Amino acid sequence: QVLLKEAGQQVAVQVHDVQGRLIYNVTTEVTWRNNPLEINSSEWLAGIYLITVRTASASKTEKLIKK
């Protein structure tokens, strides 16, 4: 899940594996109904992923370890 501080903004979410391959990419408008955003990782292999969330005013990347 990706929880944003404010609803009503455009958000781009990208997930890359450790080899740099893009495995997930979505741009959506965040509302009170879909905050937090749900990312379905059930088909991803175990490993390390980098999740980048971008808004008009900020960008943040976090590491995710899937077991």
Side-chain angles (χ1 to χ4, degrees):
Q1 291 183 340
V2 177
L3 178 62
L4 300 165
K5 291 182 181 180
E6 297 177 27
Q9 59 183 323
Q10 189 85 5
V11 174
V13 179
Q14 293 184 325
V15 180
H16 292 84
D17 64 14
V18 290
Q19 286 79 34
R21 293 179 294 225
L22 181 66
I23 62 164
Y24 181 85
N25 185 28
V26 68
T27 300
T28 187
E29 180 78 20
V30 175
T31 66
W32 64 271
R33 290 183 180 176
N34 67 355
N35 190 15
L37 293 173
E38 296 281 336
I39 298 174
N40 183 355
S41 63
S42 64
E43 296 182 12
W44 301 354
L45 298 175
I48 299 172
Y49 297 90
L50 298 175
I51 300 176
T52 302
V53 179
R54 289 188 179 90
T55 65
S57 61
S59 177
K60 183 164 185 168
T61 300
E62 292 284 334
K63 179 169 62 172
L64 167 73
I65 299 173
K66 180 171 181 182
K67 296 181 179 187

